[in-house]
Amino acid sequence: MVRNRKFISGVVPPQERSEPAWWFVFRESNLLVYQEPSPVRSPYLIDLGELGLTALSEHYLGRLDNQPCYAAEVAEGTIPPAGMTFEGLRQVYGRLDEDLFWIAARAVQIIDWDRTHRFCGRCGVPLKIKTTERAKECPQCSLLHFPRLAPAIIVLVERGDKLLLARSRHFMPGMYSVLAGFVEPGESLEEAVVREVKEEVGIEIKDIKYFGSQPWPFPHSLMIGFTATYAGSGIFLDDEEIENADWFTVDSLPRIPGKISIARKLIDWFIEKQGGVSG
Ligand SMILES: [Zn+2]
């Protein structure tokens, strides 16, 4: 995925805090945004104190069009400043500027990592944040702890004018999507694609092609998208996770995921390929 504006990731903040910065402020997993106007925006300030807020932690993220960006965490009971609100990331998608949205998606993962990686897993002593890279280091045994990132494959399987969609038990009623699953240690992405499809619906596939990737900050996945072609066997549901799976033409689609997801981008790609217009 390519963004419109230039974001350069960084871990070393400016020496002086003298220029306005974008602030991605989270109360638990909810982002602070202005209520009006639409599209909503994030605070753009020199310091969070201007809003009367105190951060529990702050993390420099880098620069967007040369303006600094910070992630900040505020305490659970924090009341939003006048005219502002805390909203879940999924809720602000489509209303928050897309470049800001994807920096917020970085911010929430850095904050979550900071919150959940406080002690060394080997010797239990408090970790220190490294100032030169996005990592924490154990002062006793030097073990490094990096932000967690879980790679997951997602694949659209086509068969003539039909595509394979499946329903997981935890989806909203009526919702279907393409298949996805986490990559196992030691596995290539292509092997993960073949295994997931086989495990979840029992079919064989071929012509596996890379489609694109997308960070998925719920909570820390990286989705790697592929397309593939049906190569044999009937749908066989053995996986308890999958409630139903079937082949659909583009004019008989069930309810599908929202625009935020790479799942939808894959489905839209197929719709357009079939000469349809994606909603
Ligand atoms: Zn240690």
Side-chain angles (χ1 to χ4, degrees), residues 13-67:
Q15 288 197 330
E16 276 185 29
R17 202 172 275 180
S18 55
E19 55 186 326
W22 291 106
W23 286 87
F24 300 91
V25 182
F26 284 89
R27 185 184 71 187
E28 297 182 79
S29 55
N30 294 317
L31 177 69
L32 181 68
V33 292
Y34 289 94
Q35 283 171 317
E36 303 284 344
S38 191
V40 297
R41 61 186 179 87
S42 298
Y44 185 64
L45 315 157
I46 293 177
D47 193 272
L48 262 196
E50 292 169 48
L51 291 174
L53 295 175
T54 309
L56 297 176
S57 68
E58 286 178 12
H59 305 268
Y60 177 68
L61 299 170
R63 286 179 178 269
L64 175 68
D65 280 350
N66 210 33
Q67 294 307 124

Side-chain angles (χ1 to χ4, degrees), residues 133-151:
E133 61 180 326
R134 187 77 65 201
K136 292 187 180 189
E137 188 171 21
C138 173
Q140 192 157 298
C141 74
S142 301
L143 185 64
L144 291 174
H145 301 255
F146 297 96
R148 265 197 294 181
L149 201 51

Side-chain angles (χ1 to χ4, degrees), residues 156 158 160 227 229 250 267-276:
L156 181 142
E158 53 183 311
T227 60
T229 309
V250 296
I267 296 169
D268 284 350
W269 167 85
F270 186 74
I271 293 172
E272 277 163 33
K273 193 176 150 188
Q274 295 297 314

Side-chain angles (χ1 to χ4, degrees), residues 193-260:
V193 169
V194 171
R195 176 184 53 77
E196 276 295 333
V197 173
K198 185 78 186 168
E199 275 178 12
E200 295 195 348
V201 294
I203 67 167
E204 312 290 336
I205 53 170
K206 61 180 182 182
D207 304 331
I208 298 166
K209 290 196 185 82
Y210 177 68
F211 176 80
S213 66
Q214 182 187 62
W216 189 245
F218 310 106
H220 47 250
S221 296
L222 172 65
M223 306 301 297
I224 305 123
F226 292 88
T227 60
T229 309
Y230 172 77
S233 307
I235 292 174
F236 177 71
L237 300 179
D238 192 23
D239 194 324
E240 295 209 333
E241 179 77 11
I242 302 291
E243 195 173 81
N244 190 29
D246 211 342
W247 300 99
F248 293 87
T249 56
V250 296
D251 52 15
S252 66
L253 290 178
R255 188 172 174 188
I256 52 175
K259 291 278 184 193
I260 182 175

